[in-house]
């Protein structure tokens, strides 16, 4: 993910967006994307590795450009979505009845998405526009300037974020689920020391975080998948799809069961990736497994022998 | 150093049983060593699972908005002390 190098670029992009409006700033996306493409070596590599897997051949410069352009376009749109400027967008919701029905039960559920397209379109439509009981689990520590900026755009939406911070993070999620909230989580990006489940994805093995399925199994709550795909111009499609009413896990073979459920998620993710290829925003070597902790990370306990 | 009270041994056993730490024995967990991150290396999922087990066994809930959380989760000793103060069974 080009978080570090492009944090400044993202900040300037959002600043421009606010000041000159969506259509004018979209024109600027072309030179900005071109600049990114030329200077962002790591981002470009991440994009190329992904497109190679997807297409089965080396991507052209035009394809790399389209990928990064899609990425910057959705970043720019965050500003307008979180500021509640819905008149600028054409958003189609597919499977929305699932959400209505779930809320009617009063039971909390996990909304599981990915770094595919736009998380903000869901937050904006769900929280600002429809006032649904939604909270989202987010890492807010790595980019505090951007986070503060978005908080200032819409303080209401800021209050719906559960920051990933410390051991009590998932206690907060539990309490929200107990109160009947739908809690949004992205299930595709492994961070250091995560428990992982190795899944087949676009023809090769990749590590996915095991956390979301472990969480759902502990909470015995339903899991609904969501994807907010950017379709170009001002169009977004939001998809909801039920993955499970309950994630049941046999304690004797928990790793195995969690892997099976995570694989189901990866399969549906692959389906949506193919439907909107340039929406994939894990711009690093997603399939790299070297140096990652083994499943469940229990090897860490061997360190304890000196005590 | 390393001497544990009966409750600390009991909580250590609960941690091991709940989290399936097959290769760890209750006496292996140093009472003052961090449980999360460094030390025992537990994470947020482990914390949730542990909180659910504590609620079943000791009859009270660990709360996310408890300002003492950093201290409560700091070590086996701190967690056991918190349990001793709040347990309903």
């Amino acid at each position: 993910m080009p978080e570090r190098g492009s944090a400044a670029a993202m900040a300037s992009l959002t600043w421009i967006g606010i000041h000159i409006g969506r259509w004018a700033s979209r024109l600027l996306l072309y030179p900005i994307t071109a600049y990114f493409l030329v200077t962002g070596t790591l981002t470009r590599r991440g994009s190329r590795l992904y497109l190679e897997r997807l297409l089965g051949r080396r991507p052209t410069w035009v394809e790399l450009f389209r990928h990064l352009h899609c990425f910057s376009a959705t970043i720019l749109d965050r500003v307008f979505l979180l500021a509640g400027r819905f008149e600028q967008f054409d958003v189609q919701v597919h499977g929305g009845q699932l959400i209505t029905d779930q809320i009617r039960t009063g039971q909390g559920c996990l909304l599981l998405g990915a770094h595919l397209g736009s998380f903000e379109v869901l937050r904006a439509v769900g929280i600002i526009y429809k006032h649904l009981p939604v909270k989202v689990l987010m890492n807010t520590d790595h980019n505090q300037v951007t986070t503060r900026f978005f908080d200032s755009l819409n303080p209401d939406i800021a209050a719906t974020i559960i920051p990933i911070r410390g051991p009590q993070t998932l206690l907060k999620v539990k309490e929200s689920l107990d109160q009947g909230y739908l809690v949004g989580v992205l299930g595709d990006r492994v961070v250091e020391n995560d428990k992982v489940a190795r899944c087949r994805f676009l023809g090769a093995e990749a590590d996915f975080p095991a956390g979301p399925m472990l969480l759902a199994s502990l909470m015995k709550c339903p899991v609904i998948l969501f994807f907010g795909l950017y379709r170009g111009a001002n169009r977004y499609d939001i998809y909801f799809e039920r993955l499970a009413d309950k994630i049941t896990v046999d304690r004797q073979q928990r790793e195995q069961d969690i892997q099976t459920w995570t694989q189901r998620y990866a399969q549906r993710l692959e389906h949506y990736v193919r439907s909107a290829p340039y929406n994939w925003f894990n711009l690093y070597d997603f399939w790299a497994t070297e140096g990652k902790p083994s499943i469940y990370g229990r090897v860490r306990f061997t360190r304890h022998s000196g005590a | 150093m390393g001497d544990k009270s009966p409750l600390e041994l009991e909580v250590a056993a609960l941690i091991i049983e709940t989290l399936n730490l097959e290769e760890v024995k209750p006496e292996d967990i140093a009472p003052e060593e961090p449980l999360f991150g460094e030390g025992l290396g537990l994470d947020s999922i482990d914390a949730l699972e542990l909180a659910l087990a504590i609620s079943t066994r000791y009859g009270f809930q660990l709360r996310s908005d408890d300002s003492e959380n950093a201290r409560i989760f700091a070590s086996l000793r701190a967690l056991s002390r918190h349990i001793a103060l709040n347990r309903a069974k």
Side-chain angles (χ1 to χ4, degrees), chain B residues 4 6 12 25 28 44 46 54 56 76 78 80-81 85 89:
Chain B
K4 288 196 259 313
K25 294 193 184 67
D28 291 342
S44 180
D46 298 324
I54 287 171
T56 311
L76 175 64
S80 303
R81 196 180 301 131
L85 288 172
K89 58 183 183 190

Side-chain angles (χ1 to χ4, degrees), chain A residues 85-132:
Chain A
R85 307 275 285 278
F86 298 111
E87 74 285 355
Q88 311 219 20
F89 295 96
D90 172 10
V91 181
Q92 299 291 327
V93 180
H94 310 264
Q97 190 62 36
L98 273 177
I99 298 299
T100 317
D101 292 347
Q102 183 61 40
I103 291 170
R104 198 167 291 146
T105 66
Q107 187 199 9
C109 96
L110 209 59
L111 291 176
L112 187 55
H115 291 82
L116 181 72
S118 175
F119 196 4
E120 279 69 29
V121 75
L122 171 91
R123 295 165 68 204
V125 173
I127 299 169
I128 306 172
Y129 187 60
K130 298 210 161 175
H131 306 288
L132 302 180

Side-chain angles (χ1 to χ4, degrees), chain A residues 86-212:
Chain A
F86 298 111
E87 74 285 355
Q88 311 219 20
F89 295 96
D90 172 10
V91 181
Q92 299 291 327
V93 180
H94 310 264
Q97 190 62 36
L98 273 177
I99 298 299
T100 317
D101 292 347
Q102 183 61 40
I103 291 170
R104 198 167 291 146
T105 66
Q107 187 199 9
C109 96
L110 209 59
L111 291 176
L112 187 55
H115 291 82
L116 181 72
S118 175
F119 196 4
E120 279 69 29
V121 75
L122 171 91
R123 295 165 68 204
V125 173
I127 299 169
I128 306 172
Y129 187 60
K130 298 210 161 175
H131 306 288
L132 302 180
V134 173
K135 294 206 180 212
V136 299
L137 187 63
M138 275 178 83
N139 193 344
T140 54
D141 280 348
H142 64 259
N143 202 336
Q144 298 198 2
V145 178
T146 320
T147 305
R148 265 202 300 277
F149 172 76
F150 283 111
D151 284 359
S152 69
L153 275 182
N154 197 321
D156 290 345
I157 211 164
T160 63
I161 295 175
I162 302 173
I164 300 178
R165 196 176 297 147
Q168 69 268 34
T169 303
L170 292 184
L171 286 181
K172 179 77 194 159
V173 171
K174 174 196 183 294
E175 289 156 11
S176 303
L177 289 169
D178 288 345
Q179 290 159 15
Y181 279 97
L182 315 184
V183 179
V185 179
L186 301 184
D188 56 338
R189 194 175 287 174
V190 176
V191 298
E192 208 184 344
N193 289 328
D194 269 356
K195 298 179 173 75
V196 295
R198 193 153 297 168
C199 297
R200 198 137 186 100
F201 182 65
L202 292 178
E205 307 261 298
D207 281 340
F208 284 77

Side-chain angles (χ1 to χ4, degrees), chain B:
Chain B
M1 209 202 121
D3 284 338
K4 288 196 259 313
S5 73
L7 180 62
E8 283 167 1
L9 274 174
E10 189 182 303
V11 174
L14 180 71
I15 292 174
I16 290 164
E17 182 200 322
T18 306
L19 304 179
N20 262 335
L21 311 181
E22 282 153 13
E23 277 149 39
V24 184
K25 294 193 184 67
E27 49 273 25
D28 291 342
I29 302 181
E32 304 281 3
E33 194 175 318
L35 295 172
F36 294 86
E38 295 305 304
L40 200 52
L42 305 186
D43 62 16
S44 180
I45 275 281
D46 298 324
L48 173 62
E49 209 170 355
L50 200 51
L52 296 172
I54 287 171
S55 136
T56 311
R57 173 80 64 95
Y58 299 107
F60 76 99
Q61 307 269 348
L62 290 162
R63 304 273 323 164
S64 73
D65 52 6
D66 193 327
S67 58
E68 298 287 290
N69 267 333
R71 221 170 45 77
I72 296 166
F73 285 120
S75 64
L76 175 64
R77 182 147 292 162
L79 183 62
S80 303
R81 196 180 301 131
H82 183 70
I83 290 172
L85 288 172
N86 291 278
R87 61 190 295 175
K89 58 183 183 190

Side-chain angles (χ1 to χ4, degrees), chain A residues 248-266:
Chain A
T248 44
V249 166
D250 180 344
R251 215 175 144 73
Q252 298 311 311
Q253 45 159 7
R254 189 153 93 140
E255 292 190 25
Q256 182 68 52
D257 289 353
I258 290 294
Q259 194 280 335
T260 305
W261 281 109
T262 310
Q263 179 66 63
R264 285 190 202 175
Y265 160 76

